[in-house]
Amino acid sequence: MDATEHEKIIIIGGGPAGLTAALYAARAELQPLVFTGMTLYGQVSQTDLIENYPGFPEGITGMEIGEQFEKQAVRFGARVLLEPVESVDLLQSPFLVKTYTKTYEAETLILAMGSDHKKLEVPGEAEFAGKGVSYCATCDGFFYRGKDIHVVGGGDSAIEEALFLTRFANSVTIIHRRDALRASPLLERRARGNPKIRFLWDTVVEEIKGQEKVQSLSLRNVKTARQFEVSTDGVFISIGHVPNNALIADQVELDDNGYVRVDWLMRTSVPGVFAAGEIADPYYRQIITSAAMGAAAALQADCYLNEQNP
Ligand code: NAP
């Protein structure tokens, strides 16, 4: 293993929060080092068309906006490495950040690891992952051309996924555990107006079944307790997210749902460690709010460095 490298600021995460933090830190001449993990641009890369990021009235794809974020940060001196962080040690100062190949010291750290898809945790889900169970319509939708598929969830993500899947599928049935959607009225209107979309209300998935790949779902109506089975070619699970806190779970304060607690200056419970984006945001989870948190975290990290080295 190479000798330890010293950095003023390390940013863990290469989604909108991490890359915006990198832009601001780079413009403050801190030469930030960003570790993106293996999913370049984070969840945004799995989003088809983004229609609610200001400045793009015609919309922009997730990959394109990720590339633009990176390009802009790199232009001012950020270094972006497609490399997962293996561990961090926040008890030492400077903080230690280890990847598989190197150990780094960082005077300040921004946690921007985002969140991941929540699992249904029913029998068959893990077994058929990639064989008819998916968490990403833009990644896998293409494989369901002409098929009859199901989407689980009633939030904005589930409805967006369902709408996207209608480009390929013959039919898309949304399974929701209540009789009212959580999704915005605009998305609901689009879904209700789409002839390929049907709804199964008050219904939960109890098991995902198949042989080589998914063939059917065992369902239960939560109001009548009726159990029944539907055949399906695939199921897209879109029931929310869990924060990617594994690296730091026992080192910074988390809320009851595992999100990193930050104050309005993006400070975590460890001085010098800031957090931004979906790892610290169970409420908004928008590209623009993540980016804004990233900007604030970098500005505060710069203040922190100035206070430490007056
Ligand atoms: P969400 O709003 O938390 O919705 C999750 C959905 O999954 C809810 O309908 C929930 O049911 C259901 N659910 C949760 N756990 C379940 C389980 N174990 N079994 C069955 N169903 C379950 O998550 P999201 O849709 O990913 O959205 C997250 C945030 O991102 C939201 O603030 C959303 O507005 C935002 N977002 C915005 C856009 C956009 O503006 N274009 C797009 C995507 C996401 P209940 O309704 O019964 O709780």
Side-chain angles (χ1 to χ4, degrees), residues 52 118 120 152-158 160 176-178 182 187 238-241 283-286:
N52 55 5
K118 188 173 155 190
L120 265 181
V152 185
D156 283 328
S157 302
E160 272 191 352
H176 184 35
R177 64 184 179 183
R178 292 187 294 130
R182 181 177 294 279
L187 286 174
S238 192
I239 58 169
H241 297 85
Y283 301 108
Y284 301 114
R285 305 182 29 78
Q286 303 296 301

Side-chain angles (χ1 to χ4, degrees), residues 12-18 36 39-47 111-119 135-136 157 239-246 248 255 257-260 275-287 289-290 293:
I12 309 178
T36 66
T39 313
L40 193 58
Y41 312 138
Q43 281 190 57
V44 78
S45 65
Q46 299 176 0
T47 305
L111 308 174
M113 292 89 87
S115 62
D116 204 353
H117 304 287
K118 188 173 155 190
K119 307 284 187 297
Y135 301 87
C136 175
S157 302
I239 58 169
H241 297 85
V242 285
N244 290 324
N245 63 17
I248 42 79
D255 73 9
N257 296 313
Y259 289 86
V260 175
E278 294 189 11
I279 187 140
D281 171 21
Y283 301 108
Y284 301 114
R285 305 182 29 78
Q286 303 296 301
I287 300 170
T289 47
S290 290
M293 289 171 84

